[in-house]
Amino acid sequence: MGRGHAIECRIYAEDPLNDFLPSLGRIQLVKEPRGPGIRNDSGIYSGATVPLEYDPILAKLITHGPTREECIRRMIRALKSYVILGILTPIPFLVDVISSEAFGKGETFTDFIDRHFSGWSPSLADIDLVGLAYVADRLAGGGIKREAAETENDRLSPWVTLGHFRP
């Protein structure tokens, strides 16, 4: 039997400021969180496209810790280090939810979001840092090369490797 606490956050391609409607387009850059007690079940990559035809779930981010407080700290750290550029995600919303005093106390009920986060808007304090980090990465030669990425991503895509799979 497992011990400790775990939290799962589902990362979607959606706009939390627009009733969580899907955010479609090309993912320009992905930097996934890593570390002890962090698991990221994901099928996305830099250069992938989020189309209208599929469920916009991108990843399930799970943290585990010996205590609820440690698990929450790990989730906040993981969410803050998760970078997905090119589309909108609810990551800033999830950071605020997980960081809230009410969540920390376990005061989560069916009206939790309505009660604590109606009218929510993201903090713009770190927005420039994300943009600068992306530009610096590109200038330093990081990221992906467009021609090579499409070939590599095609090899990694289950839609290409599995072909027209039918169960």
Side-chain angles (χ1 to χ4, degrees):
M1 176 150 309
R3 295 176 190 237
H5 296 260
I7 299 172
E8 176 181 295
C9 286
R10 293 184 178 213
I11 311 297
Y12 281 85
E14 59 188 13
D15 182 357
L17 292 174
N18 192 15
D19 293 325
F20 294 90
L21 289 173
S23 175
L24 311 175
R26 188 177 189 95
I27 299 171
Q28 297 298 320
L29 178 71
V30 175
K31 294 283 189 179
E32 296 179 343
R34 304 211 185 282
I38 297 173
R39 175 177 168 172
N40 187 51
D41 293 343
S42 170
I44 62 171
Y45 50 87
S46 298
T49 299
V50 178
L52 178 63
E53 297 83 13
Y54 298 102
D55 185 338
I57 191 165
L58 303 175
K60 293 178 188 175
L61 180 62
I62 302 115
T63 58
H64 179 268
T67 66
R68 178 174 171 78
E69 294 76 20
E70 177 60 24
C71 190
I72 289 171
R73 278 194 298 274
R74 284 182 179 171
M75 181 57 79
I76 293 167
R77 189 171 55 249
L79 287 166
K80 286 184 173 184
S81 67
Y82 211 143
V83 177
I84 301 173
L85 298 179
I87 58 170
L88 298 173
T89 71
I91 291 174
F93 177 76
L94 293 168
V95 168
D96 287 351
V97 168
I98 302 295
S99 300
S100 72
E101 184 178 337
F103 185 87
K105 291 179 178 179
E107 297 172 354
T108 54
F109 303 98
T110 55
D111 65 346
F112 178 79
I113 299 299
D114 289 336
R115 183 182 295 182
H116 298 284
F117 292 95
S118 66
W120 174 87
S121 64
S123 166
L124 300 178
D126 296 329
I127 197 77
D128 289 336
L129 294 177
V130 171
L132 287 173
Y134 178 72
V135 170
D137 183 61
R138 288 299 190 170
L139 290 174
I144 59 171
K145 302 272 188 268
R146 181 73 60 208
E147 304 81 31
E150 289 178 2
T151 304
E152 178 66 17
N153 291 337
D154 286 345
R155 287 198 323 262
L156 298 175
S157 169
W159 304 110
V160 172
T161 58
L162 295 177
H164 298 288
F165 173 77
R166 298 282 187 264

